[in-house]
Amino acid sequence: GEDVEQSLFLSVREGDSSVINCTYTDSSSTYLYWYKQEPGAGLQLLTYIFSNMDMKQDQRLTVLLNKKDKHLSLRIADTQTGDSAIYFCAQNRGSTLGRLYFGRGTQLTVWP
Amino acid sequence: DVKVTQSSRYLVKRTGEKVFLECVQDMDHENMFWYRQDPGLGLRLIYFSYDVKMKEKGDIPEGYSVSREKKERFSLILESASTNQTSMYLCASSRGPAQETQYFGPGTRLLVL
């Protein structure tokens, strides 16, 4: 089964907040990541959170980490049409030679 | 800024051809990765390399091989391309152990006819 899970689709209205959720099973992570992929492009690092943090804020982005529930979320405030993209969460794990484990991605569609 | 480049954005090949996808990074990163991305399946790791001439299989290595002769370059080889290898191929690099943030290239969209 999936080790890192995300819902596949999310639609919001322009100006609303978007919340993209991610759950994971392996608790050995030291870092958890959010990547953004625009159509036809590679993945772009959006933000990351160290596992000893509960929250990280970066302008319109807020990352929340609930280690007890193994739940990571990305909140985008005042969502714009330019935020339409696929968002991937990813985690590292101990002793895996630098490998990251990705969810399947959430397609965010922002309606004007 | 880290720059990861891939040799082609779009590639069209015929079934049975040998295909080379090239990836170059300019930040002296130890680790390099090859993924394929298909709709609904997300990213799947094909192979990765943690040092020159070192490689590790990912989750779907069948039908692929890799080469890392120089630190900055990581090649993905399709020995005999098949139609089910039509996909988007993404290369990434990272500094090394304990610094696993990956930086991605723009991708190569491969069509095998």
Side-chain angles (χ1 to χ4, degrees):
Chain A
E2 291 283 329
D3 293 327
V4 182
E5 292 198 17
Q6 304 176 239
S7 53
L8 292 182
F9 302 99
L10 177 65
S11 292
V12 299
R13 287 254 175 232
E14 191 173 24
D16 288 350
S17 290
S18 309
V19 179
I20 302 170
N21 294 301
C22 175
T23 58
Y24 55 93
T25 55
D26 192 298
S27 56
S28 67
S29 298
T30 51
Y31 287 95
L32 295 107
Y33 301 84
W34 284 105
Y35 282 86
K36 176 183 180 182
Q37 185 183 34
E38 294 180 354
L43 275 68
Q44 167 195 350
L45 178 67
L46 207 52
T47 188
Y48 63 90
I49 187 167
F50 190 49
S51 61
N52 68 354
M53 298 169 66
D54 298 322
M55 185 181 88
K56 180 179 180 180
Q57 190 148 3
D58 183 1
Q59 300 182 333
R60 291 191 297 123
L61 305 178
T62 303
V63 179
L64 295 177
L65 175 60
N66 182 329
K67 289 183 288 295
K68 175 176 169 291
D69 294 339
K70 297 179 188 172
H71 183 265
L72 180 73
S73 68
L74 174 70
R75 179 177 179 268
I76 306 172
D78 187 25
T79 314
Q80 303 297 307
T81 54
D83 294 323
S84 292
I86 303 175
Y87 291 80
F88 292 90
C89 68
Q91 61 168 166
N92 69 343
R93 296 175 188 170
S95 303
T96 55
L97 298 170
R99 180 178 170 172
L100 294 183
Y101 294 81
F102 288 84
R104 291 192 178 190
T106 299
Q107 172 74 61
L108 174 65
T109 303
V110 183
W111 302 98
Chain B
D1 276 355
V2 176
K3 187 150 183 162
V4 181
T5 57
Q6 295 184 229
S7 49
S8 306
R9 292 300 305 273
Y10 301 95
L11 212 50
V12 180
K13 295 292 181 181
R14 297 225 172 258
T15 301
E17 279 193 77
K18 190 168 186 175
V19 181
F20 292 86
L21 302 182
E22 304 283 336
C23 176
V24 178
Q25 50 90 8
D26 67 355
M27 285 301 291
D28 201 36
H29 281 178
E30 300 288 333
N31 292 353
M32 298 188 74
F33 306 82
W34 274 108
Y35 298 89
R36 66 176 282 177
Q37 182 180 18
D38 302 286
L41 298 180
L43 296 174
R44 290 184 292 168
L45 182 65
I46 304 171
Y47 268 98
F48 64 104
S49 168
Y50 54 91
D51 201 351
V52 175
K53 297 191 187 297
M54 305 302 288
K55 62 185 179 185
E56 286 283 330
K57 292 181 180 179
D59 298 323
I60 51 162
E62 297 79 17
Y64 303 94
S65 62
V66 290
S67 171
R68 185 135 181 237
E69 296 296 318
K70 293 186 178 182
K71 193 174 187 180
E72 67 270 20
R73 187 180 298 269
F74 192 35
S75 302
L76 180 69
I77 303 152
L78 287 66
E79 295 289 343
S80 177
S82 63
T83 54
N84 63 13
Q85 292 178 310
T86 291
S87 187
M88 171 76 128
Y89 290 87
L90 292 164
C91 174
S93 72
S94 66
R95 190 168 301 280
Q99 299 186 66
E100 293 120 325
T101 304
Q102 290 186 16
Y103 300 89
F104 282 80
T108 296
R109 191 167 291 281
L110 173 67
L111 173 62
V112 182
L113 299 173

